[in-house]
Amino acid sequence: MRFQGTADYVATPDLTVAVNAAITLERPLLVKGEPGTGKTELARQVAAALGLPLLEWNVKSTTKAAQGLYEYDAVSRLRDSQLGDERVHDVRNYIRPGPLWRAFASEERVVLLIDEIDKADIEFPNDLLQELDRMEFFVYETGETVRATRRPVVVITSNNEKELPDAFLRRCFFHYIRFPDEETLKRIVEVHFPGLKPRLVHTALTQFFEIRETPGLKKKPSTSEVLDWLKLLLAEDLSPEDLRADPTTALPRLHGALLKNEQDVHLFERLAFMARSRRG
């Protein structure tokens, strides 16, 4: 069982090594990188490439680790007891398995995505240490132990918004997805927009990298944003010549796909003003 990338996902050699190392070690793969660099999509493509089902657990700021195991609906059980419902005699009727339980109980191996783990409370990763390490957990309401039938392939993503505990990191295989260089980005563009005219790709990516490398930029545009931008360029049927920035603002055409806050827009406007002042 080895991952080599897919026709829909450009995986660099170091990324394929990381995925296969995590599978061999049977440890979670912790993937970090800028937002929009394909971390979440990686898990989906690993599942597709290996022919395995995918279970997604999208973590939020309010998510608790126990929700990944199961949730006990005590309120519904109390209501049913007041109504005389026979279901109350079996507590299992009020236990909802979470994504880890479903992954452990699956008769076939699955890919489990724990997406954006750094959004949750700092204790969240620590609360999953034993479950991810031993691939089992105890259900207090029923007195049973849930063990993994087939050890899942676990992919955990993080946008690096907060540091993860050392004890958690020790149990993971780590990979940082670097922002792609121009050649890799061209390959990604070709996957999403096959047959795009080379001149347009070259002009658009040159302008894109100039924007990313502008000093003082608060939020650098990501891979997903350049793909959105190219989609708009195609929809508007723009030529390479049409992509020249507005000389009065230095802003690229359809810049709303690339610049996502007013500070960065004002930065380009200031740069244009300074350039005009020097010429004057």
Side-chain angles (χ1 to χ4, degrees):
M1 182 176 290
R2 293 187 64 79
F3 175 68
Q4 300 293 341
T6 70
D8 299 321
Y9 189 88
V10 176
T12 57
D14 58 334
L15 179 56
T16 59
V17 167
V19 171
N20 291 317
I23 293 173
T24 300
L25 293 172
E26 296 188 326
R27 289 192 177 275
L29 173 64
L30 174 60
V31 186
K32 290 187 178 183
E34 292 180 30
T37 50
K39 301 184 296 297
T40 301
E41 187 61 24
L42 171 65
R44 296 167 182 158
Q45 295 300 325
V46 168
L50 302 181
L52 302 178
L54 174 69
L55 291 176
E56 296 191 34
W57 184 14
N58 299 300
V59 178
K60 302 177 181 178
S61 59
T62 56
T63 304
K64 302 300 180 185
Q67 293 173 300
L69 309 180
Y70 66 92
E71 292 184 85
Y72 170 49
D73 192 351
V75 174
S76 292
R77 193 181 190 196
L78 175 61
R79 184 190 62 240
D80 287 350
S81 68
Q82 294 169 338
L83 297 173
D85 194 318
E86 291 297 318
R87 285 163 39 90
V88 300
H89 299 300
D90 188 352
V91 69
R92 290 177 176 82
N93 291 323
Y94 303 93
I95 292 177
R96 293 196 295 268
L100 264 74
W101 186 329
R102 297 198 301 273
F104 290 0
S106 175
E107 293 184 359
E108 59 179 325
R109 198 174 194 184
V110 303
V111 174
L112 173 63
L113 167 63
I114 304 177
D115 199 25
E116 297 190 335
I117 194 172
D118 53 325
K119 279 187 176 179
D121 183 85
I122 189 62
E123 290 304 317
F124 182 93
N126 280 334
D127 291 342
L128 291 175
L129 285 179
Q130 296 304 319
E131 288 79 5
L132 290 176
D133 200 31
R134 298 179 180 178
M135 288 289 158
E136 66 177 36
F137 62 89
F138 186 71
V139 183
Y140 293 94
E141 289 78 6
T142 64
E144 65 180 309
T145 297
V146 176
R147 294 186 178 88
T149 305
R150 299 286 304 276
R151 195 177 185 98
V153 177
V154 181
V155 178
I156 303 171
T157 72
S158 168
N159 287 328
N160 231 4
E161 292 182 7
K162 62 171 68 81
E163 288 296 321
L164 299 175
D166 289 346
F168 180 79
L169 295 175
R170 283 199 301 272
R171 289 166 168 82
C172 298
F173 190 92
F174 172 76
H175 182 74
Y176 184 86
I177 297 183
R178 294 179 176 83
F179 191 83
D181 57 27
E182 188 167 352
E183 284 305 311
T184 303
L185 197 52
K186 283 181 180 177
R187 290 169 56 203
I188 294 172
V189 169
E190 178 62 26
V191 166
H192 290 269
F193 306 106
L196 203 59
K197 293 179 181 178
R199 278 189 64 237
L200 181 61
V201 173
H202 175 76
T203 304
L205 292 188
T206 298
Q207 191 172 49
F208 171 75
F209 277 104
E210 287 174 354
I211 293 169
R212 266 190 63 90
E213 293 163 10
T214 301
L217 203 63
K218 184 176 181 180
K219 183 199 176 301
K220 294 182 177 182
S222 68
T223 308
S224 63
E225 286 160 340
V226 73
L227 293 175
D228 286 345
W229 186 49
L230 284 168
K231 186 175 181 178
L232 289 173
L233 299 183
L234 288 172
E236 295 292 327
D237 196 24
L238 298 180
S239 68
E241 290 72 26
D242 293 328
L243 298 189
R244 294 194 184 95
D246 184 340
T248 62
T249 63
L251 289 167
R253 295 288 295 271
L254 301 165
H255 63 269
L258 300 175
L259 304 177
K260 298 303 177 73
N261 59 67
E262 63 277 14
Q263 294 96 319
D264 289 341
V265 173
H266 293 332
L267 171 64
F268 278 85
E269 292 172 340
R270 288 196 302 273
L271 291 173
F273 175 77
M274 292 168 60
R276 291 197 303 272
S277 298
R278 285 195 297 268
R279 288 196 300 269

